[in-house]
Structures are given as C-alpha cells and as structure tokens.
Amino acid sequence: MFSFWFDCSQLKKIRERPISRTIKRKMSHYKEKGNEEFLNGNYETAVKYYTKAIETDSTVSVYFSNRARCWKLLGNWENARKDAQEAVELDETNIKAYDLYGIAELELGRATVSQDVIARGVKRLVKAEQLCASQGKRDFEPQLRRHILLGKKILWYKEQEITLSKKQHFIHYMKDTIANDTTLDGEVKAAYMEEVTELEREVQFNTHPEIPSYLCCQITLEVMNDPVINGCGMTYEKEALEAHIKQHGNFDPVTREYFAPSSVIPNLRIKQATEEFIKHNPWAFEYLPGETFDSIKL
C-alpha cells in the first residue's frame, strides 16, 4: 500500500515539475510543424512531428488526438484508436479525441464477429456529443450527430449480418439433418427439404421496409435531414432548395409556382417524423440504393 502511494506521489511530482522554456519552444515547434504538414495533406510527416512533440512531453492530450487524426486519414485504425484512447485518458474533456476514439472503434468493429466493438464506438460518440453540450461548443454538434447516426447504421448492419449468419447456419443444419435422416421416406424428405428451401429463399431476399415518400426530398430523392417548406406548401431539403433557387430563381422545382424567399421555413413536423423513422430504422440515414455494410463512409 505504501509503495503504491509512493509511486503515485512521485509520478504526480514529475508531472507537476515545471517545464523549461527550451522544452516548451520545442513542443510548440513540433506541434506547429505537425499542424502545417497535416493541412498540406502530408499525414505521415505530420505523424513524425506529433511523435516528437509526444516524446518531448507525453502528458499533452492534444498531441495524441492530433496524431490520431493522421492515423485516421492514413487508414491505420488500430493506431488511431490507441492514440485517441491515450488522449481521452489524459483529458476526459477532449471532444475530438472521443470522436476519433468512436470512429476508430466503428471501423475496427466491422471486421469483428460481434457487434460489441461497434456498440462501444457509438457510446464514445455519444459521450463526445454530451461534452459538446456541456462545454457549449455547438459548432461540433452537427458533425457528431452525423457520426452517431452513421455509427448506429453500421451497428444495425452488423446485427443484421450476425442474424443472417445464424439463420444460414440453422438452415444448413436442417438440410443436413433431413438428408441424413434414414427414418424418412422419399416423399416426406422432399417435402421437408422444400420447406427449408423456401425458408432459405425468404432469408436471402429479406429486405428492409421502404422509406415513406413524404420523408424524401423531390430534388435529391433522399431522406431529408433539414426539411423546409415553401409558400407553395412543398417540402424539400434546405440545401437542395437553396441550390435550386440560386440556379433557377424562386420557382418551385415541381409545381413551377413562384414563392417568396421569406416564405421558406423549417418543416418541423416532417423533421420530427424523419427522426422518428430513422430512430427505428437506422439503415435509412443517408441511405443509398445498393449500399452495403462496407460502403458506408464516416
């Protein structure tokens, strides 16, 4: 007990020891160079500078989260997770570190046999969003909300993958059992096999429900994230309608009626309906026909 207290107190003293001006200048230089290389897209070089900053002082959370960003863009998810985890342990209020931690676990979880890693990743992202609210950093919230919804979508696909695998194993087991059952005559065996084959077809062609048309923008044909209604009573995705107005003027894309710019207001009813639908159907967020589990990009 005493030795543990002694070690911890010594560690505290070391961390609280004043840093010389020379070391501070080095740290600042390495960080600035890392940021410069990052902005220029030289992520491997940026990693080297952030590593030098960490070697100079390994108690600064931002150095680890900055390096984690580089690992993310280099596709090295294991290193991204390790650095993000270290950044969070050094500073539990580091929003970007939690975001990177969550994204890394989502990506690593794709290759696992269970959904546990992905579920943890979603929790990290939710934590980042909570930190945004508590710190009043509202600018990060839209990005984090998108990451959370994509995380839940990936989790849904992983759960479907696991369920499908279990059903396929069961079907193969049933086929083998029927085929090897010597107590069944030919007709009964064929009837049972037909039932199992029909079940197999249902499993293979089991798809999610259709997205209600009133939740889709008639310009983009996608689910609306920020729906607005104009003076003609028509609802569109805000960004898509603004682009249409800029190019074609204040004429409705469908009815071709004129509407005043001041008549465009948020359609809160449709937004609430969209959020409720996505809550129960995570796959519907930013859904693209023909998309697969691996094609979802964070």
Side-chain angles (χ1 to χ4, degrees):
M1 180 67 72
F2 176 77
S3 62
F4 173 76
W5 173 85
F6 178 79
D7 291 341
C8 287
S9 65
Q10 291 303 312
L11 180 60
K12 185 178 179 181
K13 287 180 180 178
I14 291 170
R15 286 190 170 180
E16 291 178 348
R17 186 178 297 163
I19 300 174
S20 70
R21 290 183 180 179
T22 302
I23 293 176
K24 283 183 178 180
R25 281 198 296 268
K26 279 186 179 181
M27 290 160 52
S28 178
H29 170 73
Y30 292 143
K31 181 187 175 184
E32 288 174 6
K33 289 295 292 183
N35 292 346
E36 182 182 324
E37 295 297 339
F38 179 88
L39 291 173
N40 289 330
N42 302 322
Y43 306 123
E44 290 182 355
T45 305
V47 163
K48 293 177 182 178
Y49 279 112
Y50 291 136
T51 300
K52 287 182 178 180
I54 290 167
E55 289 170 349
T56 306
D57 184 359
S58 61
T59 66
V60 182
S61 176
V62 173
Y63 297 165
F64 286 96
S65 56
N66 282 358
R67 192 169 68 174
R69 280 195 306 167
C70 297
W71 291 130
K72 172 194 170 186
L73 293 168
L74 290 168
N76 191 327
W77 296 111
E78 188 56 51
N79 280 353
R81 175 168 66 173
K82 287 178 181 177
D83 274 354
Q85 181 179 358
E86 185 67 29
V88 165
E89 289 175 357
L90 288 168
D91 180 4
E92 294 182 350
T93 67
N94 189 330
I95 296 170
K96 291 182 179 180
Y98 268 109
D99 184 35
L100 289 163
Y101 199 176
I103 290 174
E105 293 207 303
L106 292 180
E107 292 293 348
L108 291 169
R110 292 185 201 245
T112 61
V113 295
S114 78
Q115 69 267 39
D116 294 346
V117 177
I118 295 174
R120 283 204 308 270
V122 173
K123 287 182 180 179
R124 313 283 187 208
L125 295 171
V126 171
K127 175 66 176 178
E129 186 182 42
Q130 291 170 346
L131 287 171
C132 269
S134 65
Q135 296 177 27
K137 296 182 178 179
R138 301 292 180 183
D139 292 346
F140 293 134
E141 286 187 353
Q143 175 184 307
L144 287 170
R145 173 49 37 183
R146 178 175 179 270
H147 289 169
I148 290 169
L149 292 173
L150 285 174
K152 290 181 176 179
K153 179 174 183 171
I154 291 172
L155 180 59
W156 182 90
Y157 270 107
K158 173 58 75 172
E159 289 170 345
Q160 294 301 304
E161 181 184 86
I162 292 169
T163 300
L164 178 61
S165 178
K166 288 179 178 177
K167 287 180 178 179
Q168 289 174 336
H169 277 96
F170 175 73
I171 288 168
H172 292 154
Y173 167 77
M174 289 298 297
K175 281 185 172 182
D176 289 343
T177 301
I178 294 168
N180 296 322
D181 192 338
T182 57
T183 66
L184 300 175
D185 61 40
E187 289 186 6
V188 174
K189 185 175 287 191
Y192 283 163
M193 195 64 79
E194 179 57 33
E195 288 184 19
V196 175
T197 302
E198 180 61 28
L199 176 62
E200 185 175 29
R201 281 195 288 268
E202 290 177 6
V203 169
Q204 288 175 342
F205 293 102
N206 184 29
T207 58
H208 44 63
E210 295 222 356
I211 300 171
S213 58
Y214 63 86
L215 299 181
C216 297
C217 174
Q218 294 190 59
I219 299 175
T220 65
L221 304 180
E222 297 174 2
V223 178
M224 289 179 282
N225 180 53
D226 191 7
V228 292
I229 185 169
N230 63 21
C232 304
M234 301 294 288
T235 299
Y236 303 96
E237 177 66 29
K238 181 181 179 181
E239 190 175 321
L241 183 60
E242 288 176 347
H244 172 84
I245 291 171
K246 188 175 182 180
Q247 187 171 2
H248 302 288
N250 291 81
F251 294 91
D252 187 271
V254 175
T255 67
R256 304 305 301 162
E257 296 177 62
Y258 173 82
F259 62 89
S262 59
S263 71
V264 179
I265 58 174
N267 191 330
L268 300 180
R269 183 173 295 180
I270 292 297
K271 185 171 181 63
Q272 185 178 9
T274 301
E275 289 174 349
E276 189 65 20
F277 184 80
I278 290 175
K279 178 181 177 181
H280 297 287
N281 300 275
W283 56 267
F285 180 69
E286 294 188 3
Y287 174 74
L288 295 173
E291 72 179 7
T292 64
F293 179 56
D294 294 323
S295 68
I296 302 169
K297 302 296 183 185
L298 286 159

